[in-house]
Amino acid sequence: MLQDFNICIQTQFVFGKNAQNQIGSKLKKRGVKKVLIHHDNGEFLYATGLLESISRNLEKEGISWVELGGVLPNPRLSLVYEGIEIAKKEDVDFVIAIGGGSVIDSAKAIGLGAVIKGDVWDFFTGAAVPESSLPVGVILTCPATGSESSAVTVVNNAEEGKKLLVSHPLVRPVIAFMNPELTCSLPRFLTSCGVIDMFSHVCERYFTPDDEIGVIDRMSEGILKTLVDLGPRVLKEPRNYSYRAEIMWIGTIAHNNTVGVGRVQDWATHEIGNELSALYDTPHGATLSIIMGSWMRYVYKNKPERFARYAQEVFGVKWEPENTIEAAYQGILRTEDFFKQMGMPVSFHDFKIPTDRTEEMLDRIAFSQEDHCIGGIMRLNREDCQKIYQMAF
């Protein structure tokens, strides 16, 4: 049975070919006067004329702008501080992120920090709670994290070696311009990272301690099955608009909690994997593909029926009551086969990550609640997480 929930996804989605060309008119209707354009300085922005087109579109509607580039994967707090300073100095009233999850998360953090006198990092450590934010909009060019409509922002404090998040409705972007054509030239690796990120976002919600199977589960299974089907296809036909459109929208619904309402969620794979990003700057999608299979092996016997159903509905594994454990395990093997098919690592070794600093990573995991654990389908303590790291070596 669905548990009680409260959700408001206030993001306006402008989806389709040339969607980004509506940015000037849409922001004008919102009364926007001056925009901070935030991006990663990627060659794509200049080679395609996208950045110039956006700035002209804004100017046409009488909206002035300033810009800040340089966002890196696992967005840095140092650049967020720079963006906050610019936003305050230039009296910006709107932030536009052009890019993927890292740019969007950085823009969200700038939005939070631009309206306060204190330190935005306090929101990430839990020392303060957001009360307002500059509105943020998105021109999505790299579907992956679903940050274009999620209530989460993740930032990497490189000086402290901490990658932390803020989860609050205030950080949801107010508008997202989503043109699948802008994603057709994405490199294979970034495309694969995005697909794995989406896949994991759904799994973090699907693998719940709840027993009952309902509409949210069936929606999740449909999304996961579609990703398994389309992921390899889009690598073979990267300019297929239909594939790109499906994947772009899946990225959005995978992480705005459409398939997470009314249930206990897990998030252990993210908690464990994020420390690889914090310590080694490993791309987020790769951390998830490295950790997920080992996490599944460690916890699946705690809920074998759910894992067996996952194997059946997503990968077509035959499941009978007498072979539940075997079916569940086959689903884990099929998951890793899918990751490999997408060209993604499934171990530390695959991505040449050292294995001698797990204690540092364990020290940084945010174990919580009275049991000092993480996870939902199975509560994991420090020793459990250490074993998962070791399994992933």
Side-chain angles (χ1 to χ4, degrees), residues 83-133:
I84 291 169
E85 184 179 352
I86 293 172
K88 290 180 176 180
K89 180 181 177 181
E90 297 290 339
D91 198 23
V92 164
D93 59 355
F94 201 94
V95 184
I96 280 286
I98 307 178
S102 293
V103 177
I104 301 167
D105 282 3
S106 186
K108 290 175 175 180
I110 291 171
L112 289 173
V115 297
I116 62 170
K117 293 181 179 180
D119 188 349
V120 71
W121 186 242
D122 288 343
F123 296 138
F124 291 86
T125 63
V129 177
E131 295 182 359
S132 62
S133 174

Side-chain angles (χ1 to χ4, degrees), residues 198-391:
M198 300 168 197
F199 192 92
S200 70
H201 283 161
V202 178
C203 284
E204 298 282 23
R205 295 168 166 93
Y206 180 81
F207 289 111
T208 172
D210 298 340
D211 291 322
E212 185 176 343
I213 297 294
V215 62
I216 300 299
D217 296 294
R218 291 183 173 90
M219 290 167 65
S220 297
E221 291 159 0
I223 293 170
L224 294 171
K225 189 171 183 177
T226 302
L227 286 173
V228 169
D229 177 44
L230 289 186
R233 291 192 192 187
V234 79
L235 294 184
K236 293 178 181 178
E237 299 180 52
R239 295 193 172 275
N240 185 305
Y241 180 88
S242 178
Y243 297 165
R244 290 289 186 181
E246 290 277 340
I247 287 173
M248 178 175 261
W249 188 242
I250 285 175
T252 297
I253 60 176
H255 200 37
N256 63 14
N257 226 28
T258 296
V259 293
V261 295
R263 58 185 36 220
V264 175
Q265 301 178 17
D266 196 88
W267 295 103
T269 297
H270 272 71
E271 293 268 12
I272 297 169
N274 278 347
E275 301 312 318
L276 291 172
S277 294
L279 195 58
Y280 299 111
D281 207 21
T282 310
H284 183 56
T287 70
L288 298 170
S289 63
I290 288 168
I291 296 297
M292 183 175 286
S294 293
W295 170 82
M296 286 181 164
R297 284 184 178 85
Y298 195 79
V299 307
Y300 81 101
K301 289 184 179 179
N302 207 50
K303 278 288 180 184
E305 291 82 8
R306 181 162 285 271
F307 276 89
R309 181 182 171 90
Y310 161 81
Q312 174 182 266
E313 298 301 323
V314 178
F315 293 103
V317 174
K318 187 176 181 180
W319 171 35
E320 301 292 346
E322 61 270 17
N323 76 329
T324 295
I325 294 294
E326 176 59 25
Y329 193 74
Q330 284 300 315
I332 298 170
L333 297 180
R334 300 284 183 93
T335 301
E336 290 191 320
D337 285 344
F338 168 57
F339 292 169
K340 293 175 185 177
Q341 193 177 5
M342 295 298 296
M344 296 297 288
V346 295
S347 70
F348 280 52
H349 176 78
D350 287 348
F351 215 64
K352 297 181 173 58
I353 297 173
T355 60
D356 59 350
R357 299 179 70 182
T358 54
E359 290 300 321
E360 292 179 60
M361 292 190 284
L362 291 165
D363 287 342
R364 292 169 176 153
I365 292 176
F367 296 106
S368 61
Q369 299 184 26
E370 293 182 1
D371 59 2
H372 201 59
C373 292
I374 61 171
I377 201 167
M378 176 179 174
R379 298 293 286 166
L380 304 172
N381 60 26
R382 183 187 177 102
E383 183 181 354
D384 296 321
C385 293
Q386 182 180 42
K387 291 177 180 177
I388 291 171
Y389 278 135
Q390 291 171 343
M391 290 170 69

Side-chain angles (χ1 to χ4, degrees), residues 152-166:
V152 174
T153 174
V154 182
V155 169
N156 187 10
N157 185 333
E159 291 186 3
E160 296 184 11
K162 293 181 179 179
K163 185 178 179 182
L164 301 178
L165 62 82
V166 173

